[in-house]
Amino acid sequence: MTQAPPVPTLTVSQITDWGVAAAGGTSPRSVTSNTTWVVSVSAGATWLKVAPTSGTGNGSVTLTAAANTTTNARSATVTFSTTAGSPQVVRTVTVKQAAAQPPTLMLSSTAAWNAGAGVVSVTRSVTSNSTWTVTGPAWVSVSPRNGSGNAPVKFTTKANPTALSRTGTIKVTATNKVGVQVSRSFKVTQAAPPAVKVGMTQIVLSPGLAGGPRGDVLAVDGKGVLWRYPFIAGNKLGPAQKLGSDWARQRLFAPGDWNGDGRPDLVGITSNGKMMLYPGNGKGGIGKGIQIGHGWNKYNVIPAGDLNGDGFNDMLAINQKTGALLLYAGDGKGRFKPGYRQVGHGWKTMQLFPAGDLTGNGVNDILGIKADGKLLFYAGRGTGFFHPARQVGHGWKGMTLAAGADLNGDGRADIVGRTKDGRLLYYQGVGVGTFAKAKQVGSKW
């Protein structure tokens, strides 16, 4: 006679539901059985683990719930069941886990912070029940950057080195023990530094008014005083010499020897269009103005030297209305030959500058700056016309260019440029329309 197998038995301690906090935890359960058994978790409840998942006879099973980092409660079912004999015995435990509570976080102010261009500080208080961190743009320092609970935080801008304002976001993020985060933020805008007040309203290069191979840098200051800075050995500016005090209402030009006496002269165009000749005395000074023309206030004038090859210095003029480029030939006696000749068109948006002989071929050239800051070189043909443009520089947008003289006396024309912050840079001509690396020769210009 075959004895019937025993009826399977299975009991689990604490078979009641397990309510677990959001932080998670463990709950051991004792298993009493006379056969083999398995433990499983309802599908999808990856946050709940059991160990071991099977056994024979009596044993212990630990339920482990991971921290709930969501703000929603969740539940799962743990099933204990026999695997041998009949009938099968099943016991279940329902696990209910609470939702995570978000951390609290308050700032004393989330209003936008409008900071000045320099080093500026502001303090805002953090109130929280959790740890927190602060992030923001690199140009704002934060102290402290990390903390816990309640604390004041100091924000300090670095001085703005650019010419533009800049904006960023400062963000404070609190994180509770189960990883739930909450953030507060505010905008910070830092103003651009004030524009540097440029000392000189006009800058012009001239052949040396005192004679010799070296040229001069001429400048009109904010009070209308005309100054001469001779370019001396070492490629630097010599002591300033005052030439006049009524240049606030005149545009300054340096056409070289305009009246044929062998000495460089200056020309001014008044606000009402009169062209005045100021003869050089060959000793660094200039004489009384002589009117040599009228109606010039509608032109941009470029005293570009001898352009047509007749041995006399000439002037180019851009008609501000039409953009036509006109050649006015000098007569070598301080005035102009009759009439003019159009040598170009479409120059309305171009800035042109006398360049002297940049290539060393005995023919005068001109330079131009486009609206995008490209520096263009136009080689003279010796007939009043020019070869097509060739780019010889960039980054001149917002800079002031002065050209048309050989400053260092090496036989090649040079240029100077004034930056937005008032630095005066010297570019030595090296031939074929190109220039050496800039050398600073002045500041607060």
Side-chain angles (χ1 to χ4, degrees):
M1 178 178 176
T2 303
Q3 186 176 3
V7 175
T9 62
L10 176 68
T11 60
V12 179
S13 65
Q14 303 179 58
I15 200 64
T16 56
D17 294 348
W18 176 31
V20 59
T26 60
S27 179
R29 302 293 164 112
S30 297
V31 177
T32 304
S33 180
N34 63 354
T35 186
T36 58
W37 44 266
V38 293
V39 186
S40 62
V41 178
S42 54
T46 56
W47 53 275
L48 184 61
K49 305 293 183 184
V50 294
T53 58
S54 63
T56 301
N58 301 336
S60 178
V61 175
T62 299
L63 283 60
T64 301
N68 187 357
T69 59
T70 74
T71 55
N72 297 315
R74 57 190 179 184
S75 63
T77 300
V78 179
T79 301
F80 299 78
S81 55
T82 58
T83 59
S86 180
Q88 185 183 40
V89 182
V90 177
R91 302 284 185 264
T92 60
V93 174
T94 300
V95 180
K96 298 179 179 179
Q97 188 174 31
Q101 296 301 310
T104 61
L105 175 65
M106 292 177 55
L107 295 181
S108 58
S109 175
T110 55
W113 175 28
N114 295 313
V119 177
V120 183
S121 296
V122 69
T123 299
R124 296 190 176 181
S125 296
V126 175
T127 303
S128 180
N129 63 356
S130 304
T131 59
W132 43 263
T133 59
V134 185
T135 58
W139 44 272
V140 177
S141 62
V142 181
S143 179
R145 190 170 288 275
N146 304 284
S148 178
N150 306 334
V153 180
K154 185 178 182 179
F155 305 92
T156 304
T157 61
K158 298 178 182 178
N160 189 349
T162 73
L164 303 173
S165 62
R166 52 187 180 180
T167 299
T169 300
I170 293 175
K171 183 178 182 181
V172 182
T173 302
T175 306
N176 67 9
K177 293 181 180 180
V178 296
V180 178
Q181 295 184 332
V182 65
S183 298
R184 301 287 184 267
S185 62
F186 60 92
K187 293 285 186 181
V188 53
T189 299
Q190 187 176 32
V196 176
K197 185 177 181 180
V198 177
M200 300 300 179
T201 61
Q202 299 185 67
I203 302 173
V204 170
L205 301 190
S206 172
L209 293 178
R214 292 180 176 271
D216 298 331
V217 178
L218 306 178
V220 178
D221 66 20
K223 297 181 180 180
V225 178
L226 174 60
W227 298 93
R228 168 181 174 255
Y229 294 84
F231 212 70
I232 62 177
N235 292 341
K236 57 185 180 181
L237 299 178
Q241 173 192 347
K242 183 178 178 180
L243 295 184
S245 57
D246 191 26
W247 286 85
R249 294 179 294 276
Q250 292 191 75
R251 287 183 289 155
L252 173 66
F253 302 95
D257 178 16
W258 187 251
N259 60 9
D261 64 359
R263 297 188 290 259
D265 308 309
L266 299 182
V267 164
I269 297 179
T270 66
S271 57
N272 62 2
K274 292 181 181 179
M275 180 178 283
M276 308 296 293
L277 171 65
Y278 296 85
N281 62 14
K283 300 178 182 179
I286 55 175
K288 186 178 179 180
I290 304 167
Q291 184 175 344
I292 60 172
H294 58 85
W296 288 88
N297 50 345
K298 63 181 180 180
Y299 295 102
N300 296 330
V301 177
I302 307 97
D306 180 15
L307 295 175
N308 57 10
D310 64 358
F312 304 131
N313 287 336
D314 309 311
M315 290 195 190
L316 291 172
I318 299 175
N319 187 306
Q320 297 172 359
K321 184 176 181 180
T322 66
L325 181 62
L326 310 175
L327 172 65
Y328 288 84
D331 64 2
K333 299 176 183 179
R335 297 185 182 273
F336 297 95
K337 293 179 179 179
Y340 61 84
R341 182 164 44 137
Q342 183 170 342
V343 293
H345 58 85
W347 293 83
K348 189 174 182 179
T349 61
M350 178 73 74
Q351 298 181 64
L352 282 187
F353 302 88
D357 179 12
L358 290 177
T359 61
N361 64 352
V363 178
N364 287 313
D365 312 306
I366 58 174
L367 292 169
I369 297 179
K370 296 182 66 176
D372 61 3
K374 291 178 181 177
L375 181 63
L376 304 180
F377 164 62
Y378 296 85
R381 296 179 181 271
T383 60
F385 293 88
F386 301 91
H387 290 281
R390 176 163 59 88
Q391 184 177 341
V392 294
H394 58 85
W396 284 84
K397 186 176 182 179
M399 289 185 67
T400 300
L401 172 68
D406 176 13
L407 292 178
N408 64 358
D410 66 355
R412 293 187 289 265
D414 310 305
I415 62 175
V416 299
R418 179 181 61 194
T419 62
K420 293 179 180 178
D421 60 5
R423 290 176 294 125
L424 189 67
L425 306 179
Y426 163 64
Y427 298 83
Q428 179 180 337
V430 295
V432 297
T434 56
F435 304 92
K437 186 178 179 180
K439 173 188 176 183
Q440 184 172 343
V441 293
S443 59
K444 298 181 179 180
W445 274 68

